[in-house]
Amino acid sequence: MDEEQTRFVDAMGDTLASWNLPRATGRVYGYLLLRGEPSTSERLRADLALSAGAVSTSTRELVSWGLARTIAQPGSRRLLVEAAGGFEQLLSASHVRARAFIRTLRAAQELTDDDRAARRLRDVTDLFAAYVEAGEQMLRRHTQT
């Protein structure tokens, strides 16, 4: 990788780390986004200076988020891995988690001590609901273009 590619890969690591994903997962994702061809685990380890465990964990996390896919190699246990998409999948997965959070907040409405607490809880709930709705609108516009 050249210097600019390394900066991008590291920036992706930092970005996903700020979302509570391991930095290595973000670095693997950034690397895969730049590659035209699927990568082997060995190549990921060598190019990113990661352990086999970090590459394996990162690959599993990316696949579970829908950000990467693995490709079986006929006659081999080895898998290739490639980026499956952009931040649309990550945003969509974030919305799933935010909706679960919203359901939890709404279920707590009857548990508040007084009107002030109930208003505060509604405000938090409304904020997250607006975040999800705005993101959904953005995703719909993006998929229509």
Side-chain angles (χ1 to χ4, degrees):
M1 289 189 303
D2 67 27
E3 190 175 322
E4 288 183 41
Q5 290 171 323
T6 299
R7 274 197 303 272
F8 172 76
V9 166
D10 288 342
M12 288 298 293
D14 294 341
T15 299
L16 269 62
S18 74
W19 298 344
N20 294 320
L21 289 171
R23 186 172 187 273
T25 299
R27 291 185 70 231
V28 168
Y29 184 53
Y31 180 87
L32 294 174
L33 284 172
L34 297 178
R35 306 246 338 133
E37 297 292 324
S39 291
T40 63
S41 293
E42 294 81 14
R43 179 82 186 252
L44 289 166
R45 286 196 312 262
D47 288 355
L48 298 174
L50 295 171
S51 69
V55 168
S56 177
T57 299
S58 296
T59 299
R60 279 194 312 274
E61 286 190 7
L62 291 170
V63 168
S64 75
W65 279 83
L67 296 173
R69 66 178 147 262
T70 55
I71 304 164
Q73 297 299 288
S76 173
R77 292 179 42 195
R78 286 186 169 172
L79 298 173
L80 296 177
V81 62
E82 69 179 352
F87 278 105
E88 296 89 1
Q89 287 85 357
L90 193 55
L91 187 57
S92 183
S94 172
H95 290 169
V96 168
R97 292 173 186 216
R99 282 188 203 95
F101 185 54
I102 291 165
R103 284 190 299 276
T104 301
L105 291 170
R106 286 187 176 139
Q109 280 297 158
E110 297 176 13
L111 305 176
T112 56
D113 286 339
D114 57 24
D115 287 339
R116 181 174 180 254
R119 275 192 310 278
R120 182 179 55 233
L121 188 56
R122 267 193 312 277
D123 289 346
V124 171
T125 305
D126 291 347
L127 175 68
F128 277 90
Y131 158 76
V132 170
E133 180 54 33
E136 291 296 324
Q137 287 176 13
M138 183 182 71
L139 286 172
R140 282 191 296 272
R141 281 193 306 268
H142 181 73
T143 57
Q144 292 172 356
T145 57

